[in-house]
Amino acid sequence: MDIQQLKYFLAVIDNGSYQRAADALGVTQSALTKSVSRLEVFLGVTLLNRGHHGSTATTFGAAFALRARAICSEEVAARTELADLLHGDHGHVRLGMGIAFANGIIPRVIREFRQYYKRATITVREGMSPDLFDALRRGDIDFVISSPLDRPATMALEFDQTFLFEDSDDIVAAQSHPLAGREDIHFESLREYPWVITNSVPVLRHLLWRTFRDHGVAPPDHVILTDSVELAKKLVAEQSYLVLLGREFIRHEEKLGLLCALSVDSFKPTRSTFLTMRRGSVINSASTAFVDLLLKATATDIP
């Protein structure tokens, strides 16, 4: 069994057929088929179901795919670390983070990390949790700081998670908004204003709409959907829009007196943040130091 066999096997699963996998890899279908067949002989089980409409993993194949991805991820990490050493680099930290942390705890951890690893390279990938977990699975990054896994039963077989902290979410308005400063605002009043909904944390939108209905109020009619947190904050700051965001998103604007959290009757959702790593993975010394500083910061400080 070798790395190439594992990559060929995973390519068939990811592409859904031998032909599409062969095209993606730039090899012949015959070579791909022989490679997977040799892997099945070595393991003594059938990994793939072959049909007229494509190929799917068997029970054995699905279980083995988790191990195969982990092995391939570690191979990528090992090659990266060796390349860093070869070129005289002083470590490479590769992390993924949810959008909320760009203005929060990560800059503080980077600042402290730089005191000890002045010449280390830091690569930060920002995005949605599902995309970050895919990158972690492939070995493109070494750990993720984000919301928890959305499929804990299956993804827990691949990843280990460590709780970091709990963040609160608030309905946010401009300091000049008519609702700013009022106490115990009811959802009927919230519906009277336009909303901008961010897709950065999808669960927040579902929570908000469900809460409107639980209070016997239909969700707002005037809604703008966007992937841009910065656009959402600008609309809220300059117009009468409302938005549901984590406190980390608006910390800077609160200090400047531009945005504020509204006091809404019986509504104070919280969201947990976790550190996620590939199960059984080994990270380099620079990444280990970064994780240690992150855990120390979240244990002693509220981000």
Side-chain angles (χ1 to χ4, degrees), residues 256-272:
L256 295 178
L258 299 175
L259 302 178
C260 66
L262 299 182
S263 175
V264 180
D265 182 35
S266 303
F267 187 73
K268 194 65 176 178
T270 58
R271 185 166 29 85
S272 296

Side-chain angles (χ1 to χ4, degrees), residues 4-5 8-9 12 17-40 48 50:
Q4 186 182 69
Q5 289 176 331
Y8 282 9
F9 160 64
V12 178
S17 79
Y18 277 83
Q19 185 59 61
R20 287 193 292 270
D23 292 341
L25 293 169
V27 300
T28 65
Q29 183 175 344
S30 174
L32 185 63
T33 301
K34 289 178 181 178
S35 176
V36 174
S37 295
R38 285 195 294 267
L39 181 60
E40 290 179 321
L48 297 169
R50 299 159 175 82

Side-chain angles (χ1 to χ4, degrees), residues 78-299:
R79 286 180 178 273
T80 300
E81 186 170 0
L82 292 175
D84 291 342
L85 292 172
L86 179 64
H87 294 94
D89 293 341
H90 294 256
H92 190 178
V93 179
R94 305 177 305 157
L95 69 104
M97 68 176 185
I99 298 171
F101 309 106
N103 296 321
I105 194 169
I106 297 302
R108 300 202 296 275
V109 174
I110 289 176
R111 183 169 58 248
E112 186 173 358
F113 175 81
R114 279 298 185 204
Q115 297 177 15
Y116 305 99
Y117 287 82
K118 293 181 173 60
R119 298 176 63 185
T121 300
I122 302 175
T123 300
V124 181
R125 178 169 180 168
E126 184 182 77
M128 306 282 284
S129 294
D131 296 332
L132 295 176
F133 291 140
D134 284 342
L136 181 61
R137 182 181 291 112
R138 292 192 304 269
D140 296 342
I141 51 181
D142 295 319
F143 56 91
V144 170
I145 303 158
S146 71
S147 302
L149 305 175
D150 58 353
R151 299 191 305 276
T154 55
M155 297 182 75
L157 298 174
E158 300 178 80
F159 304 125
D160 288 320
Q161 287 199 309
T162 302
F163 174 79
L164 293 178
F165 59 86
E166 196 168 71
D167 192 18
S168 62
D169 299 309
D170 292 283
I171 296 175
V172 176
Q175 287 280 9
S176 58
H177 195 281
L179 296 179
R182 287 177 50 180
E183 295 294 327
D184 297 327
I185 300 168
H186 298 293
F187 276 80
E188 290 89 344
S189 300
L190 297 175
R191 193 183 186 283
E192 296 174 3
Y193 295 92
W195 282 76
V196 54
I197 302 296
T198 67
N199 294 319
S200 58
V201 187
V203 68
L204 293 185
R205 179 178 61 182
H206 301 314
L207 170 65
L208 179 64
W209 264 213
R210 185 174 69 247
T211 305
F212 266 100
R213 296 188 181 95
D214 290 345
H215 282 77
V217 180
D221 294 322
H222 185 165
V223 175
I224 293 178
L225 300 177
T226 178
D227 290 328
S228 171
V229 174
E230 292 305 315
L231 173 61
K233 291 193 294 185
K234 192 170 184 63
L235 288 171
V236 171
E238 298 180 356
Q239 302 182 42
S240 59
Y241 282 89
L242 301 175
V243 66
L244 178 64
L245 284 176
R247 294 304 291 267
E248 274 300 301
F249 285 102
I250 65 167
R251 185 179 294 273
H252 180 66
E253 287 79 6
E254 276 190 308
K255 291 180 180 179
L256 295 178
L258 299 175
L259 302 178
C260 66
L262 299 182
S263 175
V264 180
D265 182 35
S266 303
F267 187 73
K268 194 65 176 178
T270 58
R271 185 166 29 85
S272 296
T273 297
F274 288 82
L275 168 70
T276 305
M277 301 176 65
R278 292 187 302 277
R279 173 155 293 184
S281 66
V282 178
I283 58 177
N284 61 43
S285 59
S287 295
T288 299
F290 193 98
V291 169
D292 289 343
L293 290 172
L294 174 66
L295 295 175
K296 179 182 176 182
T298 55

